[in-house]
Amino acid sequence: MADLTGTVYTETVVFSPPEAYVNDVPYQLAIIQFETGKRTTARIAGERASIGDRVVLKEKRGGVQYFEKLP
């Protein structure tokens, strides 16, 4: 998998999810902005990320991208 990094543009924690994700709560969603200016919506895995944090793509599961916070 390519090293895909970006910056958290905005984020939220989901406590009332759609039925398909009810077993995952709470979980963090974020809009990730890349250097190109493009953005994507993704889940944050592991440590909670804040606006402005750098993140890297960790994996894709079921069509969902999971990013994790860079140290």
Side-chain angles (χ1 to χ4, degrees):
M1 181 175 304
D3 183 27
L4 188 58
T5 61
T7 303
V8 176
Y9 177 76
T10 190
E11 59 80 30
T12 190
V13 176
V14 177
F15 292 96
S16 298
E19 189 173 321
Y21 300 105
V22 73
N23 293 325
D24 295 346
V25 293
Y27 61 89
Q28 186 178 23
L29 289 177
I31 295 177
I32 310 301
Q33 183 164 323
F34 303 105
E35 288 185 20
T36 62
K38 292 186 179 187
R39 297 178 183 160
T40 191
T41 302
R43 296 257 308 251
I44 301 295
E47 182 182 349
R48 184 168 176 187
S50 299
I51 294 170
D53 284 345
R54 297 285 297 160
V55 292
V56 62
L57 181 62
K58 179 180 178 182
E59 65 179 305
K60 291 182 184 179
R61 278 188 267 148
V64 177
Q65 298 178 91
Y66 288 78
F67 281 75
E68 66 181 6
K69 185 177 173 179
L70 287 170

